[in-house]
Structure formats: structure tokens, C-alpha cells
Amino acid sequence: VVRQMMWLMDHIFKYTNFGIVSLIHGDFFIRQGRAHRDQQLVLLKEHLEKYYRSRNRKWIVLFPEGGFLRKRRETSQAFAKKNNLPFLKHVTLPRLGATQVILKTLVAPQENGTPAGRDAVIKENKSKGLQWVIDTTIAYPKGEPIDIQTWILGYRQPTVTHIHYRIFPVKDVPAEPEALTHWLYQRFIEKEDLLTHFYETGAFPPLQGQTKAISREMTLSNLWLVGIQSLAFLSGGMWYCIFQYFYHCLF
């Protein structure tokens, strides 16, 4: 999956030690803020058309919230109050722009559930485009996620991260802006309910007809973690050496 996946992430990550890897991989770095919004959506559409299919990508990772919860929550709540929308504490209202561009660019046009026209059939034979939307909700014990410092230094006790996911056929996702906005808002209102239940009970609610949520434990190999950490430190050291080299050459 990783080889066929494209990530959308904040442009600040371009300047981290994995930024060059993501650039080579063909991921997209998006600038936040109203001043950049329209231009960034045009650049995103061009990027998808240039890199997604040409590199045989089949997955794309998007964070519709458009930022960290602690940074966006207050703005999101103010927007919700102004527009008579639900007050959310555990999530923020999603933004529409990038989601709409992705769906328009990577989903084959549909007419009555089938591809529209001969050109669309030919296009779909080459690449079916997106088939599913996987809606992922992440919960942390006591609502305290592990930050980067903890991940690197390991000064907190091991913790379990809980992931709740739902799968929607992409044909069930509306394309029109107003309907898509409503659909996205509903997903995040549901996320709020899921997380409220989790933080009250310590578990996600069971599906209808079940008495307990069915879960599957996923663990990471210690050897794999050591390898990743080693690469992170080596990458950081490499960038430090490069910086020092150019610094001495210039000054």
C-alpha cells in the first residue's frame, strides 16, 4: 500500500528530515490560509493529474480538518456558532476544497451508476480511479496523543492508539459542493459522537446488533521501530552535516 499511496500534508513538513523523501515520492505539500487557498487547489489538481496515475498511485491520504485540533478548534467552533452548526469539541469542521478537487480529478464521471460515455469507459479501463472513501477516526487514552518529542525520547509509558474506520463506496459520496459539504459535516458530527462515547467508556460504540465493538489488535515489531528510529537519527545527522558544509562554504 505504501508504494501506491500519495499523502497531502502541510507545507511545513517539506522542511523536515523526511521532506526530501516525500518530494521524491510525489506527495503534495499544501499551504494553509485563505490567501493561498485558491492557488493551492489549482496546484493540487495539476499535481494529481501529473503524478497520481503516472506513478500508479491507488491510495490518497487527506486530512479534511486542514490542521491540528489544538490550533483549529477555536476557529471551527466560532464558524459553527456563526452558521448554526453543531458545537464540536473532539474534532473540527472539515474544509471542502481539497476533498472536492480529489473527487473531481480521481473519480470517473458517473451516469446512473455507470461510467459516462465511451471516453469515460476507455479512461476507466486504464485506471478505475478511487473506488472507496475510508473514514478513519483516531482516539487516544485520556485524549492525550503521543507527540514527536515523546516518540523520539520515549519518556512516556507505552499506550494504545484506537482506530475506528468506516468504508463508503465513492459512488455514494455526492459530487455537488453543497451536498458534499453536508455529507462531510455529517461524517465529522458522527466522529464527535464516536469520540465522546470513547472518552466516556474507553471504547468505541458497537455496531448495530452487536453488544461489544469488535476490534483487532495491531502491534509493531521492536526491530522495525529500532530501524525507523535509526533512519530518523541518520537522516537528521545528514541534514546537519549538509547545513554545516554549505555554511562554511558561504562564510
Side-chain angles (χ1 to χ4, degrees):
V1 169
V2 174
R3 289 182 302 167
Q4 297 175 322
M5 180 183 290
M6 177 180 286
W7 288 75
L8 269 66
M9 62 187 87
D10 193 285
H11 81 288
I12 194 66
F13 291 112
K14 186 188 297 185
Y15 309 105
T16 63
N17 56 344
F18 63 83
I20 187 66
V21 177
S22 294
L23 281 171
I24 295 171
H25 187 250
D27 298 325
F28 184 77
F29 298 93
I30 191 165
R31 291 181 65 89
Q32 303 293 340
R34 186 176 299 176
H36 307 286
R37 189 174 302 162
D38 293 340
Q39 180 194 26
Q40 289 299 297
L41 294 179
V42 172
L43 293 175
L44 172 59
K45 184 177 188 300
E46 293 174 353
H47 186 89
L48 293 173
E49 291 173 344
K50 184 176 180 180
Y51 292 107
Y52 189 86
R53 289 193 175 90
S54 67
R55 297 192 179 192
N56 195 32
R57 298 291 186 255
K58 295 182 179 179
W59 302 77
I60 186 162
V61 180
L62 170 68
F63 303 91
E65 308 96 310
F68 294 106
L69 175 64
R70 59 184 173 82
K71 292 184 176 181
R72 286 214 61 237
R73 179 159 40 199
E74 187 176 343
T75 303
S76 175
Q77 290 172 347
F79 177 85
K81 184 177 181 179
K82 182 179 179 181
N83 292 274
N84 197 29
L85 294 167
F87 184 87
L88 308 177
K89 296 190 300 181
H90 304 302
V91 295
T92 64
L93 289 169
R95 292 170 173 174
L96 179 66
T99 304
Q100 190 173 20
V101 169
I102 289 170
L103 292 175
K104 280 188 173 182
T105 308
L106 301 181
V107 177
Q110 301 283 317
E111 287 183 1
N112 300 323
T114 59
R118 182 174 178 275
D119 292 340
V121 173
I122 294 172
K123 185 177 181 181
E124 181 156 344
N125 286 336
K126 293 181 180 179
S127 173
K128 291 184 178 180
L130 299 181
Q131 300 294 300
W132 309 93
V133 172
I134 302 177
D135 175 29
T136 305
T137 305
I138 302 175
Y140 309 95
K142 300 180 181 179
E144 298 176 357
I146 291 181
D147 53 30
I148 294 176
Q149 294 91 331
T150 303
W151 181 61
I152 293 174
L153 300 175
Y155 56 81
R156 267 176 57 182
Q157 289 296 313
T159 185
V160 177
T161 300
H162 298 260
I163 302 175
H164 180 283
Y165 67 91
R166 296 171 297 176
I167 302 176
F168 299 91
V170 78
K171 63 182 178 62
D172 293 342
V173 180
E176 294 301 316
E178 186 174 345
L180 178 59
T181 301
H182 177 74
W183 188 88
L184 274 177
Y185 282 179
Q186 285 302 118
R187 301 292 76 77
F188 276 76
I189 292 169
E190 290 166 4
K191 288 176 184 289
E192 178 76 12
D193 294 338
L194 287 170
L195 290 171
T196 298
H197 187 280
F198 179 89
Y199 293 128
E200 289 175 352
T201 65
F204 283 117
L207 296 175
Q208 188 174 2
Q210 297 178 352
T211 57
K212 183 180 179 182
I214 299 173
S215 61
R216 179 166 61 95
E217 185 176 357
M218 299 172 62
T219 57
L220 297 175
S221 162
N222 288 333
L223 183 61
W224 185 86
L225 289 172
V226 169
I228 291 295
Q229 285 290 82
S230 300
L231 287 173
F233 281 116
L234 287 172
S235 178
M238 179 192 72
W239 281 108
Y240 176 77
C241 292
I242 291 173
F243 173 78
Q244 289 293 323
Y245 173 79
F246 281 107
Y247 179 83
H248 287 298
C249 287
L250 292 173
F251 301 104

